[in-house]
PDB file of all heavy atoms in Angstrom:
ATOM      1  N   LEU D 102    -132.858 -36.562 101.941  1.00 91.00           N
ATOM      2  CA  LEU D 102    -132.350 -36.165 103.260  1.00 91.00           C
ATOM      3  C   LEU D 102    -133.486 -35.497 104.012  1.00 91.00           C
ATOM      4  O   LEU D 102    -134.371 -34.896 103.374  1.00 91.00           O
ATOM      5  CB  LEU D 102    -131.209 -35.160 103.101  1.00 91.00           C
ATOM      6  CG  LEU D 102    -129.984 -35.660 102.344  1.00 91.00           C
ATOM      7  CD1 LEU D 102    -129.049 -34.488 102.014  1.00 91.00           C
ATOM      8  CD2 LEU D 102    -129.252 -36.699 103.192  1.00 91.00           C
ATOM      9  N   PRO D 103    -133.492 -35.562 105.336  1.00 85.00           N
ATOM     10  CA  PRO D 103    -134.539 -34.825 106.052  1.00 85.00           C
ATOM     11  C   PRO D 103    -134.430 -33.348 105.691  1.00 85.00           C
ATOM     12  O   PRO D 103    -133.312 -32.834 105.606  1.00 85.00           O
ATOM     13  CB  PRO D 103    -134.207 -35.052 107.526  1.00 85.00           C
ATOM     14  CG  PRO D 103    -133.093 -36.036 107.559  1.00 85.00           C
ATOM     15  CD  PRO D 103    -132.519 -36.191 106.191  1.00 85.00           C
ATOM     16  N   PRO D 104    -135.564 -32.643 105.443  1.00 80.00           N
ATOM     17  CA  PRO D 104    -135.481 -31.223 105.088  1.00 80.00           C
ATOM     18  C   PRO D 104    -134.699 -30.467 106.152  1.00 80.00           C
ATOM     19  O   PRO D 104    -134.963 -30.610 107.338  1.00 80.00           O
ATOM     20  CB  PRO D 104    -136.945 -30.773 105.045  1.00 80.00           C
ATOM     21  CG  PRO D 104    -137.735 -32.030 104.907  1.00 80.00           C
ATOM     22  CD  PRO D 104    -136.919 -33.129 105.538  1.00 80.00           C
ATOM     23  N   ALA D 105    -133.695 -29.723 105.696  1.00 83.00           N
ATOM     24  CA  ALA D 105    -132.792 -29.068 106.657  1.00 83.00           C
ATOM     25  C   ALA D 105    -132.875 -27.553 106.558  1.00 83.00           C
ATOM     26  O   ALA D 105    -132.060 -26.862 107.147  1.00 83.00           O
ATOM     27  CB  ALA D 105    -131.351 -29.520 106.380  1.00 83.00           C
ATOM     28  N   HIS D 106    -133.866 -27.054 105.827  1.00 86.00           N
ATOM     29  CA  HIS D 106    -133.847 -25.607 105.577  1.00 86.00           C
ATOM     30  C   HIS D 106    -134.633 -24.808 106.606  1.00 86.00           C
ATOM     31  O   HIS D 106    -134.603 -23.587 106.579  1.00 86.00           O
ATOM     32  CB  HIS D 106    -134.341 -25.298 104.155  1.00 86.00           C
ATOM     33  CG  HIS D 106    -135.760 -25.698 103.888  1.00 86.00           C
ATOM     34  ND1 HIS D 106    -136.150 -27.004 103.731  1.00 86.00           N
ATOM     35  CD2 HIS D 106    -136.868 -24.950 103.763  1.00 86.00           C
ATOM     36  CE1 HIS D 106    -137.444 -27.039 103.520  1.00 86.00           C
ATOM     37  NE2 HIS D 106    -137.910 -25.809 103.532  1.00 86.00           N
ATOM     38  N   LEU D 107    -135.323 -25.512 107.534  1.00 92.00           N
ATOM     39  CA  LEU D 107    -136.087 -24.782 108.552  1.00 92.00           C
ATOM     40  C   LEU D 107    -135.725 -25.294 109.936  1.00 92.00           C
ATOM     41  O   LEU D 107    -135.522 -26.502 110.117  1.00 92.00           O
ATOM     42  CB  LEU D 107    -137.592 -24.992 108.335  1.00 92.00           C
ATOM     43  CG  LEU D 107    -138.196 -24.407 107.058  1.00 92.00           C
ATOM     44  CD1 LEU D 107    -139.655 -24.819 106.935  1.00 92.00           C
ATOM     45  CD2 LEU D 107    -138.074 -22.886 107.060  1.00 92.00           C
ATOM     46  N   PRO D 108    -135.679 -24.395 110.935  1.00 94.00           N
ATOM     47  CA  PRO D 108    -135.412 -24.851 112.304  1.00 94.00           C
ATOM     48  C   PRO D 108    -136.670 -25.481 112.896  1.00 94.00           C
ATOM     49  O   PRO D 108    -137.775 -25.213 112.442  1.00 94.00           O
ATOM     50  CB  PRO D 108    -135.076 -23.545 113.044  1.00 94.00           C
ATOM     51  CG  PRO D 108    -135.829 -22.487 112.304  1.00 94.00           C
ATOM     52  CD  PRO D 108    -135.894 -22.937 110.863  1.00 94.00           C
ATOM     53  N   PRO D 199    -133.247 -31.869  99.261  1.00 97.00           N
ATOM     54  CA  PRO D 199    -133.035 -33.167  99.927  1.00 97.00           C
ATOM     55  C   PRO D 199    -132.569 -34.270  98.970  1.00 97.00           C
ATOM     56  O   PRO D 199    -132.178 -35.347  99.426  1.00 97.00           O
ATOM     57  CB  PRO D 199    -134.434 -33.517 100.485  1.00 97.00           C
ATOM     58  CG  PRO D 199    -135.184 -32.225 100.505  1.00 97.00           C
ATOM     59  CD  PRO D 199    -134.636 -31.410  99.373  1.00 97.00           C
TER      60      PRO D 199
END
Side-chain angles (χ1 to χ4, degrees):
L102 299 169
H106 63 287
L107 294 175

